[in-house]
Amino acid sequence: MIIDLNDISLADKQSYLQHAIAPRPICFASTVDKAGNSNLSPFSFFNLFSSNPPIVIFSASRRVRNNTTKHSLQNVLEIPEVVINIVDVDMVQQVSLSSCDFPKGINEFVKAGFTEEPATLIKPSMVKESKIKMECRVIEVKALGEEAGAGNLIICEILRMHIADSILDENKKIDQRKIQLVARLGGDWYCRVDEANLFTVEKPNTKIAMGVDALPDTIRNSRILTGNNLGQLANVLELPAIDPNFEDPKLKSIFQYYSVNPTEMEQELHYYAKALLDQGNVYAAWQVLLAIL
Ligand SMILES: Cc1cc2nc3c(=O)[nH]c(=O)nc-3n(C[C@H](O)[C@H](O)[C@H](O)COP(=O)(O)O)c2cc1C
């Protein structure tokens, strides 16, 4: 299916975009108006755009229903300050509750049952229950249009971060497993990021990888190894050498059992290399594959 976004309804546009561009982190934005009234609302059109200076952007859209602007946007235009609270699994139902269209002046801290904690540099309050809070100065607001659904980029410089000790590791870095972040997808879908679904991918940018095109043909054209497997194998500087000290009983038994049938042996070795790659053991996978090159 091919869609031209100009030919479909606004609701369909939102649906395709929000299901496809996902998961999105959630900025739980605390702002104040010039009378000092607190406002708290979630925004998943949100991300990090620069580390130095530390810049995050979230977007408060014009309401689809009646093309009015959100209170958070009105507030940052009055007082250009915001606390961005990061949303984790312990908070998500209350965060969702706070997104109701409460009338202006209604404090969503109270409505959603969160605790206001004074910030140290700016007027808006922090959400005490959030494990990471960022005190930010709004440096620019950029409207992307005048029609219903148009975003307004709220560009924020982070001045200070508050991080709960409970999510730190022994080096005082954030332990990705300890903060169970949640993110928004399409419709009512959310996802949680925890040990059951986290995995690591080795960064290629410390070395220049040989690339998939440089893999030997039998590996590159394997019907068993997947695109992910080829990506792992090709993330080495050059074709590895056989390690004479590599001892592996399974490799030995494949050799003994299939020596009469080289095609089946190659297939078995590819299956074994795939299993090793799926466990993240690139070195052993290469040694297995090198045995038949
Ligand atoms: C998880 C979540 C993410 C949301 N993301 C956005 C967003 O990125 N942009 C937006 O305009 N509204 C978003 N909303 C809806 C706003 O939170 C909602 O309109 C809110 O009432 C705005 O409040 P305000 O008028 O007090 O600023 C989101 C709602 C939820 C629950």
Side-chain angles (χ1 to χ4, degrees), residues 24 26-27 31 39-46 58-63 69-73 95-102 108 184 190:
R24 299 178 302 281
I26 304 171
C27 148
T31 56
N39 190 91
L40 186 60
S41 302
F43 296 93
S44 69
F45 290 6
F46 165 57
F58 67 99
S59 175
S61 305
R62 300 180 76 92
R63 289 196 184 83
T69 58
K70 307 241 164 134
H71 304 140
S72 306
L73 173 66
V95 168
S96 172
L97 179 61
S98 75
S99 75
C100 287
D101 256 341
F102 296 113
E108 288 92 355
R184 187 121 200 248
Y190 285 72

PDB file of all heavy atoms in Angstrom, residues 24 26-27 31 39-46 58-63 69-73 95-102 108 184 190, ligand 1:
ATOM      1  N   ARG A  24       7.570   6.313  21.123  1.00  0.00           N
ATOM      2  CA  ARG A  24       8.042   7.674  21.393  1.00  0.00           C
ATOM      3  C   ARG A  24       8.169   7.878  22.901  1.00  0.00           C
ATOM      4  O   ARG A  24       7.249   7.542  23.653  1.00  0.00           O
ATOM      5  CB  ARG A  24       7.057   8.701  20.813  1.00  0.00           C
ATOM      6  CG  ARG A  24       6.875   8.608  19.294  1.00  0.00           C
ATOM      7  CD  ARG A  24       5.860   9.621  18.786  1.00  0.00           C
ATOM      8  NE  ARG A  24       4.568   9.476  19.410  1.00  0.00           N
ATOM      9  CZ  ARG A  24       3.659   8.564  19.082  1.00  0.00           C
ATOM     10  NH1 ARG A  24       3.913   7.693  18.108  1.00  0.00           N
ATOM     11  NH2 ARG A  24       2.512   8.493  19.707  1.00  0.00           N
ATOM     12  N   ILE A  26       8.087   9.787  26.476  1.00  0.00           N
ATOM     13  CA  ILE A  26       7.041  10.711  26.947  1.00  0.00           C
ATOM     14  C   ILE A  26       7.642  11.799  27.825  1.00  0.00           C
ATOM     15  O   ILE A  26       8.308  11.511  28.831  1.00  0.00           O
ATOM     16  CB  ILE A  26       5.944   9.953  27.718  1.00  0.00           C
ATOM     17  CG1 ILE A  26       5.348   8.838  26.832  1.00  0.00           C
ATOM     18  CG2 ILE A  26       4.839  10.926  28.153  1.00  0.00           C
ATOM     19  CD1 ILE A  26       4.408   7.897  27.567  1.00  0.00           C
ATOM     20  N   CYS A  27       7.400  13.029  27.415  1.00  0.00           N
ATOM     21  CA  CYS A  27       7.790  14.207  28.191  1.00  0.00           C
ATOM     22  C   CYS A  27       6.575  14.574  29.038  1.00  0.00           C
ATOM     23  O   CYS A  27       5.506  14.844  28.495  1.00  0.00           O
ATOM     24  CB  CYS A  27       8.123  15.329  27.204  1.00  0.00           C
ATOM     25  SG  CYS A  27       7.786  16.994  27.744  1.00  0.00           S
ATOM     26  N   THR A  31       4.399  23.149  33.733  1.00  0.00           N
ATOM     27  CA  THR A  31       4.565  24.574  33.393  1.00  0.00           C
ATOM     28  C   THR A  31       3.717  25.402  34.355  1.00  0.00           C
ATOM     29  O   THR A  31       2.892  24.856  35.097  1.00  0.00           O
ATOM     30  CB  THR A  31       4.072  24.843  31.950  1.00  0.00           C
ATOM     31  OG1 THR A  31       2.712  24.405  31.840  1.00  0.00           O
ATOM     32  CG2 THR A  31       4.912  24.120  30.916  1.00  0.00           C
ATOM     33  N   ASN A  39       0.447  23.533  35.689  1.00  0.00           N
ATOM     34  CA  ASN A  39      -0.171  22.676  34.664  1.00  0.00           C
ATOM     35  C   ASN A  39       0.774  21.502  34.407  1.00  0.00           C
ATOM     36  O   ASN A  39       1.998  21.666  34.450  1.00  0.00           O
ATOM     37  CB  ASN A  39      -0.349  23.481  33.368  1.00  0.00           C
ATOM     38  CG  ASN A  39      -1.201  22.716  32.362  1.00  0.00           C
ATOM     39  OD1 ASN A  39      -2.413  22.867  32.343  1.00  0.00           O
ATOM     40  ND2 ASN A  39      -0.582  21.890  31.539  1.00  0.00           N
ATOM     41  N   LEU A  40       0.195  20.345  34.158  1.00  0.00           N
ATOM     42  CA  LEU A  40       1.005  19.141  33.963  1.00  0.00           C
ATOM     43  C   LEU A  40       0.375  18.312  32.856  1.00  0.00           C
ATOM     44  O   LEU A  40      -0.793  17.917  32.970  1.00  0.00           O
ATOM     45  CB  LEU A  40       0.997  18.346  35.284  1.00  0.00           C
ATOM     46  CG  LEU A  40       1.880  17.126  35.398  1.00  0.00           C
ATOM     47  CD1 LEU A  40       3.352  17.475  35.211  1.00  0.00           C
ATOM     48  CD2 LEU A  40       1.664  16.459  36.772  1.00  0.00           C
ATOM     49  N   SER A  41       1.129  18.066  31.767  1.00  0.00           N
ATOM     50  CA  SER A  41       0.557  17.321  30.628  1.00  0.00           C
ATOM     51  C   SER A  41       1.627  16.484  29.941  1.00  0.00           C
ATOM     52  O   SER A  41       2.779  16.920  29.834  1.00  0.00           O
ATOM     53  CB  SER A  41       0.010  18.276  29.568  1.00  0.00           C
ATOM     54  OG  SER A  41      -0.947  19.111  30.131  1.00  0.00           O
ATOM     55  N   PRO A  42       1.233  15.301  29.433  1.00  0.00           N
ATOM     56  CA  PRO A  42       2.193  14.459  28.708  1.00  0.00           C
ATOM     57  C   PRO A  42       2.254  14.787  27.219  1.00  0.00           C
ATOM     58  O   PRO A  42       1.233  15.107  26.606  1.00  0.00           O
ATOM     59  CB  PRO A  42       1.619  13.050  28.916  1.00  0.00           C
ATOM     60  CG  PRO A  42       0.156  13.241  29.101  1.00  0.00           C
ATOM     61  CD  PRO A  42      -0.059  14.627  29.654  1.00  0.00           C
ATOM     62  N   PHE A  43       3.444  14.649  26.649  1.00  0.00           N
ATOM     63  CA  PHE A  43       3.657  14.885  25.216  1.00  0.00           C
ATOM     64  C   PHE A  43       4.628  13.832  24.692  1.00  0.00           C
ATOM     65  O   PHE A  43       5.758  13.743  25.172  1.00  0.00           O
ATOM     66  CB  PHE A  43       4.240  16.290  24.973  1.00  0.00           C
ATOM     67  CG  PHE A  43       3.287  17.378  25.377  1.00  0.00           C
ATOM     68  CD1 PHE A  43       3.342  17.927  26.661  1.00  0.00           C
ATOM     69  CD2 PHE A  43       2.313  17.823  24.504  1.00  0.00           C
ATOM     70  CE1 PHE A  43       2.438  18.906  27.054  1.00  0.00           C
ATOM     71  CE2 PHE A  43       1.402  18.812  24.892  1.00  0.00           C
ATOM     72  CZ  PHE A  43       1.467  19.346  26.164  1.00  0.00           C
ATOM     73  N   SER A  44       4.177  13.070  23.711  1.00  0.00           N
ATOM     74  CA  SER A  44       5.077  12.030  23.176  1.00  0.00           C
ATOM     75  C   SER A  44       5.742  12.471  21.879  1.00  0.00           C
ATOM     76  O   SER A  44       6.581  11.747  21.351  1.00  0.00           O
ATOM     77  CB  SER A  44       4.314  10.726  22.954  1.00  0.00           C
ATOM     78  OG  SER A  44       3.402  10.879  21.897  1.00  0.00           O
ATOM     79  N   PHE A  45       5.360  13.627  21.366  1.00  0.00           N
ATOM     80  CA  PHE A  45       6.139  14.189  20.262  1.00  0.00           C
ATOM     81  C   PHE A  45       7.309  14.885  20.959  1.00  0.00           C
ATOM     82  O   PHE A  45       7.266  16.093  21.250  1.00  0.00           O
ATOM     83  CB  PHE A  45       5.311  15.185  19.440  1.00  0.00           C
ATOM     84  CG  PHE A  45       4.211  14.544  18.626  1.00  0.00           C
ATOM     85  CD1 PHE A  45       3.922  13.198  18.724  1.00  0.00           C
ATOM     86  CD2 PHE A  45       3.471  15.307  17.733  1.00  0.00           C
ATOM     87  CE1 PHE A  45       2.909  12.607  17.964  1.00  0.00           C
ATOM     88  CE2 PHE A  45       2.460  14.734  16.970  1.00  0.00           C
ATOM     89  CZ  PHE A  45       2.176  13.382  17.091  1.00  0.00           C
ATOM     90  N   PHE A  46       8.332  14.112  21.226  1.00  0.00           N
ATOM     91  CA  PHE A  46       9.377  14.543  22.165  1.00  0.00           C
ATOM     92  C   PHE A  46      10.654  13.770  21.890  1.00  0.00           C
ATOM     93  O   PHE A  46      10.615  12.563  21.657  1.00  0.00           O
ATOM     94  CB  PHE A  46       8.891  14.242  23.584  1.00  0.00           C
ATOM     95  CG  PHE A  46       9.957  14.281  24.659  1.00  0.00           C
ATOM     96  CD1 PHE A  46      10.713  15.428  24.858  1.00  0.00           C
ATOM     97  CD2 PHE A  46      10.205  13.176  25.451  1.00  0.00           C
ATOM     98  CE1 PHE A  46      11.687  15.469  25.853  1.00  0.00           C
ATOM     99  CE2 PHE A  46      11.175  13.204  26.446  1.00  0.00           C
ATOM    100  CZ  PHE A  46      11.919  14.363  26.643  1.00  0.00           C
ATOM    101  N   PHE A  58       9.704  19.230  22.577  1.00  0.00           N
ATOM    102  CA  PHE A  58       8.419  18.544  22.522  1.00  0.00           C
ATOM    103  C   PHE A  58       7.445  19.431  21.753  1.00  0.00           C
ATOM    104  O   PHE A  58       7.699  20.626  21.561  1.00  0.00           O
ATOM    105  CB  PHE A  58       7.894  18.155  23.913  1.00  0.00           C
ATOM    106  CG  PHE A  58       7.504  19.285  24.830  1.00  0.00           C
ATOM    107  CD1 PHE A  58       6.171  19.665  24.959  1.00  0.00           C
ATOM    108  CD2 PHE A  58       8.449  19.952  25.586  1.00  0.00           C
ATOM    109  CE1 PHE A  58       5.788  20.684  25.831  1.00  0.00           C
ATOM    110  CE2 PHE A  58       8.084  20.995  26.449  1.00  0.00           C
ATOM    111  CZ  PHE A  58       6.762  21.355  26.575  1.00  0.00           C
ATOM    112  N   SER A  59       6.365  18.815  21.295  1.00  0.00           N
ATOM    113  CA  SER A  59       5.437  19.567  20.455  1.00  0.00           C
ATOM    114  C   SER A  59       4.022  19.481  21.005  1.00  0.00           C
ATOM    115  O   SER A  59       3.502  18.391  21.230  1.00  0.00           O
ATOM    116  CB  SER A  59       5.473  19.011  19.030  1.00  0.00           C
ATOM    117  OG  SER A  59       4.491  19.661  18.251  1.00  0.00           O
ATOM    118  N   ALA A  60       3.438  20.650  21.250  1.00  0.00           N
ATOM    119  CA  ALA A  60       2.042  20.729  21.697  1.00  0.00           C
ATOM    120  C   ALA A  60       1.225  21.105  20.469  1.00  0.00           C
ATOM    121  O   ALA A  60       1.343  22.215  19.941  1.00  0.00           O
ATOM    122  CB  ALA A  60       1.897  21.780  22.792  1.00  0.00           C
ATOM    123  N   SER A  61       0.402  20.166  20.010  1.00  0.00           N
ATOM    124  CA  SER A  61      -0.355  20.389  18.767  1.00  0.00           C
ATOM    125  C   SER A  61      -1.589  21.254  19.018  1.00  0.00           C
ATOM    126  O   SER A  61      -2.142  21.256  20.125  1.00  0.00           O
ATOM    127  CB  SER A  61      -0.848  19.051  18.222  1.00  0.00           C
ATOM    128  OG  SER A  61       0.222  18.174  18.066  1.00  0.00           O
ATOM    129  N   ARG A  62      -2.032  21.910  17.973  1.00  0.00           N
ATOM    130  CA  ARG A  62      -3.343  22.581  18.040  1.00  0.00           C
ATOM    131  C   ARG A  62      -4.401  21.489  18.093  1.00  0.00           C
ATOM    132  O   ARG A  62      -4.292  20.475  17.393  1.00  0.00           O
ATOM    133  CB  ARG A  62      -3.536  23.473  16.808  1.00  0.00           C
ATOM    134  CG  ARG A  62      -2.454  24.553  16.693  1.00  0.00           C
ATOM    135  CD  ARG A  62      -2.686  25.413  15.473  1.00  0.00           C
ATOM    136  NE  ARG A  62      -3.783  26.334  15.714  1.00  0.00           N
ATOM    137  CZ  ARG A  62      -3.646  27.574  16.186  1.00  0.00           C
ATOM    138  NH1 ARG A  62      -2.444  28.052  16.463  1.00  0.00           N
ATOM    139  NH2 ARG A  62      -4.698  28.336  16.387  1.00  0.00           N
ATOM    140  N   ARG A  63      -5.384  21.655  18.962  1.00  0.00           N
ATOM    141  CA  ARG A  63      -6.387  20.594  19.153  1.00  0.00           C
ATOM    142  C   ARG A  63      -7.109  20.289  17.842  1.00  0.00           C
ATOM    143  O   ARG A  63      -7.496  21.209  17.119  1.00  0.00           O
ATOM    144  CB  ARG A  63      -7.408  20.983  20.227  1.00  0.00           C
ATOM    145  CG  ARG A  63      -6.807  20.967  21.631  1.00  0.00           C
ATOM    146  CD  ARG A  63      -7.887  20.967  22.719  1.00  0.00           C
ATOM    147  NE  ARG A  63      -7.233  21.041  24.028  1.00  0.00           N
ATOM    148  CZ  ARG A  63      -6.822  22.175  24.599  1.00  0.00           C
ATOM    149  NH1 ARG A  63      -7.034  23.332  24.000  1.00  0.00           N
ATOM    150  NH2 ARG A  63      -6.227  22.148  25.774  1.00  0.00           N
ATOM    151  N   THR A  69      -5.328  26.068  21.193  1.00  0.00           N
ATOM    152  CA  THR A  69      -3.977  25.673  21.611  1.00  0.00           C
ATOM    153  C   THR A  69      -4.017  25.114  23.034  1.00  0.00           C
ATOM    154  O   THR A  69      -4.918  25.417  23.819  1.00  0.00           O
ATOM    155  CB  THR A  69      -2.999  26.871  21.553  1.00  0.00           C
ATOM    156  OG1 THR A  69      -3.522  27.912  22.392  1.00  0.00           O
ATOM    157  CG2 THR A  69      -2.801  27.368  20.143  1.00  0.00           C
ATOM    158  N   LYS A  70      -3.017  24.300  23.339  1.00  0.00           N
ATOM    159  CA  LYS A  70      -2.965  23.629  24.651  1.00  0.00           C
ATOM    160  C   LYS A  70      -2.455  24.597  25.719  1.00  0.00           C
ATOM    161  O   LYS A  70      -1.689  25.516  25.438  1.00  0.00           O
ATOM    162  CB  LYS A  70      -2.054  22.408  24.549  1.00  0.00           C
ATOM    163  CG  LYS A  70      -2.453  21.490  23.385  1.00  0.00           C
ATOM    164  CD  LYS A  70      -2.845  20.121  23.801  1.00  0.00           C
ATOM    165  CE  LYS A  70      -3.578  19.405  22.676  1.00  0.00           C
ATOM    166  NZ  LYS A  70      -3.141  18.050  22.439  1.00  0.00           N
ATOM    167  N   HIS A  71      -2.891  24.333  26.950  1.00  0.00           N
ATOM    168  CA  HIS A  71      -2.493  25.217  28.054  1.00  0.00           C
ATOM    169  C   HIS A  71      -0.970  25.214  28.248  1.00  0.00           C
ATOM    170  O   HIS A  71      -0.383  26.240  28.589  1.00  0.00           O
ATOM    171  CB  HIS A  71      -3.194  24.779  29.355  1.00  0.00           C
ATOM    172  CG  HIS A  71      -4.687  24.742  29.212  1.00  0.00           C
ATOM    173  ND1 HIS A  71      -5.482  23.764  29.759  1.00  0.00           N
ATOM    174  CD2 HIS A  71      -5.534  25.576  28.534  1.00  0.00           C
ATOM    175  CE1 HIS A  71      -6.749  23.987  29.438  1.00  0.00           C
ATOM    176  NE2 HIS A  71      -6.806  25.074  28.705  1.00  0.00           N
ATOM    177  N   SER A  72      -0.350  24.066  28.028  1.00  0.00           N
ATOM    178  CA  SER A  72       1.114  23.995  28.198  1.00  0.00           C
ATOM    179  C   SER A  72       1.805  24.992  27.265  1.00  0.00           C
ATOM    180  O   SER A  72       2.766  25.660  27.654  1.00  0.00           O
ATOM    181  CB  SER A  72       1.630  22.586  27.877  1.00  0.00           C
ATOM    182  OG  SER A  72       0.942  21.636  28.637  1.00  0.00           O
ATOM    183  N   LEU A  73       1.291  25.061  26.015  1.00  0.00           N
ATOM    184  CA  LEU A  73       1.869  25.999  25.043  1.00  0.00           C
ATOM    185  C   LEU A  73       1.621  27.439  25.509  1.00  0.00           C
ATOM    186  O   LEU A  73       2.548  28.266  25.519  1.00  0.00           O
ATOM    187  CB  LEU A  73       1.243  25.774  23.662  1.00  0.00           C
ATOM    188  CG  LEU A  73       1.639  26.786  22.596  1.00  0.00           C
ATOM    189  CD1 LEU A  73       3.126  26.666  22.263  1.00  0.00           C
ATOM    190  CD2 LEU A  73       0.809  26.612  21.330  1.00  0.00           C
ATOM    191  N   VAL A  95      -0.326   9.378  34.483  1.00  0.00           N
ATOM    192  CA  VAL A  95       0.097  10.285  33.408  1.00  0.00           C
ATOM    193  C   VAL A  95      -1.012  10.383  32.369  1.00  0.00           C
ATOM    194  O   VAL A  95      -1.387  11.474  31.924  1.00  0.00           O
ATOM    195  CB  VAL A  95       1.415   9.784  32.765  1.00  0.00           C
ATOM    196  CG1 VAL A  95       1.717  10.536  31.483  1.00  0.00           C
ATOM    197  CG2 VAL A  95       2.571   9.911  33.750  1.00  0.00           C
ATOM    198  N   SER A  96      -1.577   9.234  32.015  1.00  0.00           N
ATOM    199  CA  SER A  96      -2.656   9.231  31.033  1.00  0.00           C
ATOM    200  C   SER A  96      -3.853  10.043  31.542  1.00  0.00           C
ATOM    201  O   SER A  96      -4.443  10.850  30.813  1.00  0.00           O
ATOM    202  CB  SER A  96      -3.054   7.782  30.732  1.00  0.00           C
ATOM    203  OG  SER A  96      -4.192   7.769  29.934  1.00  0.00           O
ATOM    204  N   LEU A  97      -4.168   9.853  32.818  1.00  0.00           N
ATOM    205  CA  LEU A  97      -5.279  10.589  33.427  1.00  0.00           C
ATOM    206  C   LEU A  97      -5.070  12.104  33.317  1.00  0.00           C
ATOM    207  O   LEU A  97      -6.006  12.865  33.055  1.00  0.00           O
ATOM    208  CB  LEU A  97      -5.383  10.158  34.904  1.00  0.00           C
ATOM    209  CG  LEU A  97      -6.455  10.786  35.771  1.00  0.00           C
ATOM    210  CD1 LEU A  97      -7.833  10.464  35.207  1.00  0.00           C
ATOM    211  CD2 LEU A  97      -6.325  10.264  37.203  1.00  0.00           C
ATOM    212  N   SER A  98      -3.819  12.520  33.481  1.00  0.00           N
ATOM    213  CA  SER A  98      -3.540  13.968  33.468  1.00  0.00           C
ATOM    214  C   SER A  98      -3.755  14.582  32.088  1.00  0.00           C
ATOM    215  O   SER A  98      -3.761  15.796  31.954  1.00  0.00           O
ATOM    216  CB  SER A  98      -2.100  14.227  33.931  1.00  0.00           C
ATOM    217  OG  SER A  98      -1.215  13.883  32.889  1.00  0.00           O
ATOM    218  N   SER A  99      -3.890  13.734  31.051  1.00  0.00           N
ATOM    219  CA  SER A  99      -4.034  14.283  29.693  1.00  0.00           C
ATOM    220  C   SER A  99      -5.473  14.661  29.355  1.00  0.00           C
ATOM    221  O   SER A  99      -5.749  15.121  28.257  1.00  0.00           O
ATOM    222  CB  SER A  99      -3.511  13.284  28.664  1.00  0.00           C
ATOM    223  OG  SER A  99      -4.436  12.226  28.502  1.00  0.00           O
ATOM    224  N   CYS A 100      -6.389  14.471  30.319  1.00  0.00           N
ATOM    225  CA  CYS A 100      -7.778  14.921  30.085  1.00  0.00           C
ATOM    226  C   CYS A 100      -7.777  16.424  29.820  1.00  0.00           C
ATOM    227  O   CYS A 100      -6.915  17.143  30.342  1.00  0.00           O
ATOM    228  CB  CYS A 100      -8.631  14.710  31.337  1.00  0.00           C
ATOM    229  SG  CYS A 100      -9.043  13.018  31.656  1.00  0.00           S
ATOM    230  N   ASP A 101      -8.759  16.858  29.060  1.00  0.00           N
ATOM    231  CA  ASP A 101      -8.873  18.295  28.775  1.00  0.00           C
ATOM    232  C   ASP A 101      -9.473  19.042  29.959  1.00  0.00           C
ATOM    233  O   ASP A 101     -10.582  19.590  29.860  1.00  0.00           O
ATOM    234  CB  ASP A 101      -9.755  18.482  27.529  1.00  0.00           C
ATOM    235  CG  ASP A 101      -8.907  18.806  26.314  1.00  0.00           C
ATOM    236  OD1 ASP A 101      -7.752  19.228  26.498  1.00  0.00           O
ATOM    237  OD2 ASP A 101      -9.427  18.639  25.186  1.00  0.00           O
ATOM    238  N   PHE A 102      -8.763  19.084  31.073  1.00  0.00           N
ATOM    239  CA  PHE A 102      -9.270  19.841  32.221  1.00  0.00           C
ATOM    240  C   PHE A 102      -9.275  21.332  31.864  1.00  0.00           C
ATOM    241  O   PHE A 102      -8.397  21.788  31.126  1.00  0.00           O
ATOM    242  CB  PHE A 102      -8.383  19.604  33.457  1.00  0.00           C
ATOM    243  CG  PHE A 102      -8.386  18.181  33.939  1.00  0.00           C
ATOM    244  CD1 PHE A 102      -7.230  17.400  33.863  1.00  0.00           C
ATOM    245  CD2 PHE A 102      -9.542  17.611  34.470  1.00  0.00           C
ATOM    246  CE1 PHE A 102      -7.227  16.095  34.304  1.00  0.00           C
ATOM    247  CE2 PHE A 102      -9.537  16.289  34.920  1.00  0.00           C
ATOM    248  CZ  PHE A 102      -8.382  15.531  34.828  1.00  0.00           C
ATOM    249  N   GLU A 108      -3.319  19.685  37.214  1.00  0.00           N
ATOM    250  CA  GLU A 108      -3.301  18.242  36.932  1.00  0.00           C
ATOM    251  C   GLU A 108      -2.454  17.456  37.934  1.00  0.00           C
ATOM    252  O   GLU A 108      -2.583  16.233  38.014  1.00  0.00           O
ATOM    253  CB  GLU A 108      -2.815  17.960  35.497  1.00  0.00           C
ATOM    254  CG  GLU A 108      -3.797  18.339  34.400  1.00  0.00           C
ATOM    255  CD  GLU A 108      -3.609  19.740  33.858  1.00  0.00           C
ATOM    256  OE1 GLU A 108      -2.764  20.481  34.408  1.00  0.00           O
ATOM    257  OE2 GLU A 108      -4.307  20.102  32.892  1.00  0.00           O
ATOM    258  N   ARG A 184       5.106   5.712  24.088  1.00  0.00           N
ATOM    259  CA  ARG A 184       3.800   5.718  23.420  1.00  0.00           C
ATOM    260  C   ARG A 184       3.943   5.264  21.976  1.00  0.00           C
ATOM    261  O   ARG A 184       4.908   5.616  21.307  1.00  0.00           O
ATOM    262  CB  ARG A 184       3.256   7.152  23.444  1.00  0.00           C
ATOM    263  CG  ARG A 184       1.838   7.233  22.917  1.00  0.00           C
ATOM    264  CD  ARG A 184       0.946   7.801  23.965  1.00  0.00           C
ATOM    265  NE  ARG A 184      -0.451   7.505  23.750  1.00  0.00           N
ATOM    266  CZ  ARG A 184      -1.376   8.408  23.436  1.00  0.00           C
ATOM    267  NH1 ARG A 184      -1.025   9.671  23.273  1.00  0.00           N
ATOM    268  NH2 ARG A 184      -2.632   8.058  23.314  1.00  0.00           N
ATOM    269  N   TYR A 190       1.068   1.298  24.384  1.00  0.00           N
ATOM    270  CA  TYR A 190       2.275   1.762  25.072  1.00  0.00           C
ATOM    271  C   TYR A 190       3.238   0.578  25.112  1.00  0.00           C
ATOM    272  O   TYR A 190       2.823  -0.573  24.952  1.00  0.00           O
ATOM    273  CB  TYR A 190       1.966   2.147  26.533  1.00  0.00           C
ATOM    274  CG  TYR A 190       1.233   3.458  26.699  1.00  0.00           C
ATOM    275  CD1 TYR A 190      -0.108   3.584  26.359  1.00  0.00           C
ATOM    276  CD2 TYR A 190       1.880   4.582  27.226  1.00  0.00           C
ATOM    277  CE1 TYR A 190      -0.789   4.779  26.519  1.00  0.00           C
ATOM    278  CE2 TYR A 190       1.209   5.779  27.399  1.00  0.00           C
ATOM    279  CZ  TYR A 190      -0.123   5.876  27.040  1.00  0.00           C
ATOM    280  OH  TYR A 190      -0.798   7.062  27.203  1.00  0.00           O
TER     281      TYR A 190
HETATM  282  C1  LIG B   1       1.047   9.649  26.579  1.00  0.00           C
HETATM  283  C2  LIG B   1       0.438  10.862  25.919  1.00  0.00           C
HETATM  284  C3  LIG B   1       1.164  11.558  24.978  1.00  0.00           C
HETATM  285  C4  LIG B   1       0.637  12.698  24.396  1.00  0.00           C
HETATM  286  N1  LIG B   1       1.389  13.374  23.474  1.00  0.00           N
HETATM  287  C5  LIG B   1       0.934  14.524  22.969  1.00  0.00           C
HETATM  288  C6  LIG B   1       1.760  15.287  22.080  1.00  0.00           C
HETATM  289  O1  LIG B   1       2.870  14.909  21.743  1.00  0.00           O
HETATM  290  N2  LIG B   1       1.270  16.457  21.609  1.00  0.00           N
HETATM  291  C7  LIG B   1       0.045  16.928  21.988  1.00  0.00           C
HETATM  292  O2  LIG B   1      -0.326  18.020  21.569  1.00  0.00           O
HETATM  293  N3  LIG B   1      -0.737  16.230  22.834  1.00  0.00           N
HETATM  294  C8  LIG B   1      -0.326  15.054  23.338  1.00  0.00           C
HETATM  295  N4  LIG B   1      -1.097  14.352  24.205  1.00  0.00           N
HETATM  296  C9  LIG B   1      -2.379  14.936  24.622  1.00  0.00           C
HETATM  297  C10 LIG B   1      -2.131  16.003  25.679  1.00  0.00           C
HETATM  298  O3  LIG B   1      -1.480  15.461  26.798  1.00  0.00           O
HETATM  299  C11 LIG B   1      -3.472  16.562  26.102  1.00  0.00           C
HETATM  300  O4  LIG B   1      -4.038  17.272  25.028  1.00  0.00           O
HETATM  301  C12 LIG B   1      -3.370  17.468  27.310  1.00  0.00           C
HETATM  302  O5  LIG B   1      -4.651  17.608  27.820  1.00  0.00           O
HETATM  303  C13 LIG B   1      -2.847  18.840  27.034  1.00  0.00           C
HETATM  304  O6  LIG B   1      -2.991  19.548  28.222  1.00  0.00           O
HETATM  305  P1  LIG B   1      -2.872  21.117  28.357  1.00  0.00           P
HETATM  306  O7  LIG B   1      -3.948  21.760  27.510  1.00  0.00           O
HETATM  307  O8  LIG B   1      -3.099  21.303  29.829  1.00  0.00           O
HETATM  308  O9  LIG B   1      -1.504  21.501  27.927  1.00  0.00           O
HETATM  309  C14 LIG B   1      -0.642  13.161  24.759  1.00  0.00           C
HETATM  310  C15 LIG B   1      -1.386  12.434  25.699  1.00  0.00           C
HETATM  311  C16 LIG B   1      -0.849  11.287  26.263  1.00  0.00           C
HETATM  312  C17 LIG B   1      -1.659  10.530  27.272  1.00  0.00           C
END
